[in-house]
Amino acid sequence: MPEAATPLMPIPGHVDPVPVKREITPREDGRVDLVGLSRAQIRTELAAAGLDEKQAKLRSKQLFHWLYHRGVTDFEAMTDLAKPMRGWMAERFVVGRPNVVEAQVSSDGTRKWLLRSDDGQDYEMVFIPDADRGTLCVSSQVGCTLNCRFCHTGTMRLVRNLTPGEIVGQVMLARDALGEWPKGNMGGTMAGFGDIDEDDDDTPHYTTDGRLLTNIVMMGMGEPLYNFENVRDALKVVMDGDGLALSKRRITLSTSGVVPMMARAGEEIGVNLAVSLHAVTKEVRDEIVPINRKFGIEELLQACADYPGANNARRITFEYVMLKDKNDSDEDARELVRLIKQYKLPAKVNLIPFNPWPGAIYECSTPERIKRFSDIVFEAGISAPVRTPRGRDIMAACGQLKSASEKKSRAELDRLAEEKQAALG
Ligand code: SAH
Ligand code: SF4
């Protein structure tokens, strides 16, 4: 299957947080999972399986539509394929979904899924419903190599890049779970389905079709820009107008500051950018976001200023986690304003109350402190809303992802130990 491996990107410099290479186990039955593949890749697969070029082209378009627009997983339901063709496909291909290990619902409606890849890697996705939107928080890696001091995910030992199929699979699974695939007949035409966005039009398109899932944020586990190619390929599939058709304006990629990849992200993906700034001095950012030792604040802000597509209509979001007595003083707020102005950044600031997790060494700033910080930034003319923590009771809030997977693997280890004991008599 093309691109099934998880290519690793060596990053020069003294901190080298490159994931350990892990082979992806091919399916035991030898069939190829089509989820995550582009139209061209599906076509290549069909040709490799023996269809002539014309057939491969036609069938790839049909499959693309059934997969990503209709959410169909059974070839038998693909009514514009002749019966023998459906059987032929089913012998060679599957339309897969991530395995769900556990699904939880928070008292505030936030849902979290613990997913497992075919090679036994656990990762999580979170759905956050709001009055006017529904946001799916998607993971890009199993774990994260970057070890931000306030982030639970950064403490995970096992790390591997998720494949495009595993990334797109999260969106597909969310659509399944929310019951959001269009019903009814295909109507004999490929085009005209979904909300296809014109690039130059600034009005949002995806609000009125009644769907729950309207936005995607690459803010789950992992650093998306350390898995650049897979994230890019996955988001291209997600944005394709004949498929899932999410507008790039409704997708946000959050990076901790992988400066060398930011321009490419703007050019090749073109979604909204969020940057985990979290501190305004070298000393504090070096401590809490260690990638800062490699790419400093000035470099990062310059890359933001150069980010293609950023303008006043599409501002860059700076995420700022509120840590008591660490980064939350009036001076910090004023320095934040100064930096944003110095680099003339079309910016908004998202203040994130620190979400605790077992073993964390920080505390959340007081509500009064957060309010004051927000006011200082706001009075300087920069929007600085405080993000309401969501899903804390199920450990689904920002920076809390890990616990379920770790708990599972712990539980599994215990079970294995018990089995071993039993086997030993
Ligand atoms: N790795 C990417 C995206 C995932 S994290 C990044 O770091 O940007 C999504 C956001 O949650 C980031 O801004 C991250 O810094 C923040 N975050 C991490 N741990 C947190 C915690 N314990 N409380 C609040 N926010 C946290
Ligand atoms: Fe990784 Fe982001 Fe967590 Fe930092 S905040 S450890 S980059 S997931």
Side-chain angles (χ1 to χ4, degrees):
M1 164 170 169
E3 314 288 332
T6 54
L8 298 174
M9 194 191 318
I11 312 278
H14 70 276
V15 183
D16 205 4
V18 169
V20 182
K21 188 165 177 67
R22 302 175 69 85
E23 292 302 329
I24 311 285
T25 330
R27 288 178 58 89
E28 267 173 23
D29 63 10
R31 290 187 293 173
V32 172
D33 190 344
L34 295 175
V35 171
L37 301 191
S38 65
R39 215 180 275 95
Q41 288 170 324
I42 294 175
R43 184 173 162 182
T44 307
E45 287 297 327
L46 294 176
L51 290 193
D52 69 41
E53 221 172 273
K54 206 167 140 241
Q55 277 285 318
K57 186 174 178 194
L58 172 68
R59 302 303 170 204
S60 68
K61 279 192 187 164
Q62 291 173 308
L63 283 176
F64 191 90
H65 186 85
W66 283 114
L67 254 67
Y68 299 121
H69 184 77
R70 300 290 298 273
V72 164
T73 53
D74 180 2
F75 292 100
E76 272 313 309
M78 301 185 183
T79 45
D80 60 349
L81 297 179
K83 273 223 168 244
M85 177 59 86
R86 295 181 213 165
W88 184 88
M89 298 265 182
E91 277 168 26
R92 292 161 179 79
F93 303 105
V94 289
V95 182
R97 289 292 187 264
N99 307 302
V100 178
V101 180
E102 191 175 14
Q104 286 173 281
V105 184
S106 157
S107 55
D108 68 16
T110 301
R111 303 194 197 186
K112 182 171 85 170
W113 287 266
L114 173 63
L115 308 174
R116 183 163 298 162
S117 65
D118 289 336
D119 63 343
Q121 303 285 323
D122 288 351
Y123 52 104
E124 293 177 320
M125 73 170 191
V126 176
F127 178 70
I128 308 143
D130 274 305
D132 59 340
R133 65 169 67 182
T135 306
L136 186 69
C137 181
V138 170
S139 290
S140 57
Q141 299 182 309
V142 173
C144 185
T145 45
L146 286 176
N147 305 113
C148 299
R149 292 285 288 278
F150 48 83
C151 175
H152 209 192
T153 306
T155 66
M156 281 179 74
R157 275 180 308 117
L158 285 181
V159 177
R160 111 152 144 67
N161 284 336
L162 292 177
T163 62
E166 288 162 342
I167 297 168
V168 177
Q170 295 172 61
V171 184
M172 310 277 279
L173 186 72
R175 278 266 158 93
D176 289 350
L178 299 167
E180 291 206 310
W181 296 108
K183 309 210 166 44
N185 291 323
M186 244 175 92
T189 162
M190 303 291 300
F193 288 91
D195 292 277
I196 304 166
D197 266 44
E198 300 303 332
D199 265 11
D200 309 322
D201 185 351
D202 261 332
T203 48
H205 290 248
Y206 223 83
T207 43
T208 52
D209 69 352
R211 280 195 179 141
L212 294 168
L213 197 175
T214 59
N215 292 51
I216 291 181
V217 293
M218 296 303 299
M219 295 189 187
M221 291 176 160
E223 167 50 58
L225 294 190
Y226 274 149
N227 185 16
F228 180 79
E229 271 137 30
N230 291 355
V231 167
R232 175 198 59 200
D233 293 352
L235 290 180
K236 287 216 145 123
V237 168
V238 169
M239 292 187 283
D240 192 298
D242 292 332
L244 290 153
L246 263 112
S247 156
K248 65 179 183 182
R249 289 184 178 71
R250 296 206 162 249
I251 303 178
T252 300
L253 183 149
S254 174
T255 180
S256 56
V258 185
V259 169
M261 300 311 295
M262 285 169 58
R264 275 187 75 192
E267 282 152 17
E268 296 177 34
I269 313 176
V271 296
N272 302 322
L273 182 69
V275 172
S276 295
L277 190 62
H278 302 319
V280 290
T281 65
K282 174 167 169 50
E283 194 199 347
V284 177
R285 197 162 190 270
D286 275 356
E287 177 192 328
I288 66 178
V289 187
I291 196 180
N292 195 64
R293 296 175 207 160
K294 196 163 168 192
F295 310 116
I297 295 175
E298 287 76 20
E299 241 181 298
L300 175 58
L301 295 180
Q302 189 55 50
C304 291
D306 298 339
Y307 186 73
N311 53 47
N312 278 326
R314 286 188 80 200
R315 288 173 294 169
I316 293 174
T317 303
F318 288 101
E319 294 157 290
Y320 200 99
V321 61
M322 299 301 296
L323 304 173
K324 189 174 183 185
D325 299 331
K326 184 47 80 181
N327 64 356
D328 63 352
S329 69
D330 287 4
E331 291 88 86
D332 288 318
R334 282 194 286 266
E335 179 62 4
L336 178 58
V337 168
R338 193 191 68 75
L339 285 170
I340 289 173
K341 299 212 157 158
Q342 184 190 333
Y343 286 86
K344 299 192 177 60
L345 296 168
K348 57 187 168 197
V349 175
N350 235 327
L351 300 176
I352 316 176
F354 169 67
N355 292 308
W357 39 273
I361 54 171
Y362 299 108
E363 269 180 74
C364 186
S365 312
T366 62
E368 299 75 37
R369 188 88 294 276
I370 299 177
K371 172 86 173 57
R372 171 89 187 117
F373 195 101
S374 170
D375 287 347
I376 292 175
V377 179
F378 184 75
E379 277 155 25
I382 300 162
S383 147
V386 181
R387 199 188 278 176
T388 315
R390 298 290 301 268
R392 271 185 177 174
D393 56 340
I394 55 167
M395 292 291 283
C398 301
Q400 293 185 312
L401 300 184
K402 152 177 179 170
S403 48
S405 11
E406 294 277 301
K407 238 190 287 161
K408 271 293 155 197
S409 29
R410 184 71 255 159
E412 227 164 56
L413 287 177
D414 291 343
R415 183 178 54 76
L416 288 174
E418 266 172 37
E419 278 173 10
K420 201 168 159 195
Q421 273 297 315
L424 291 173

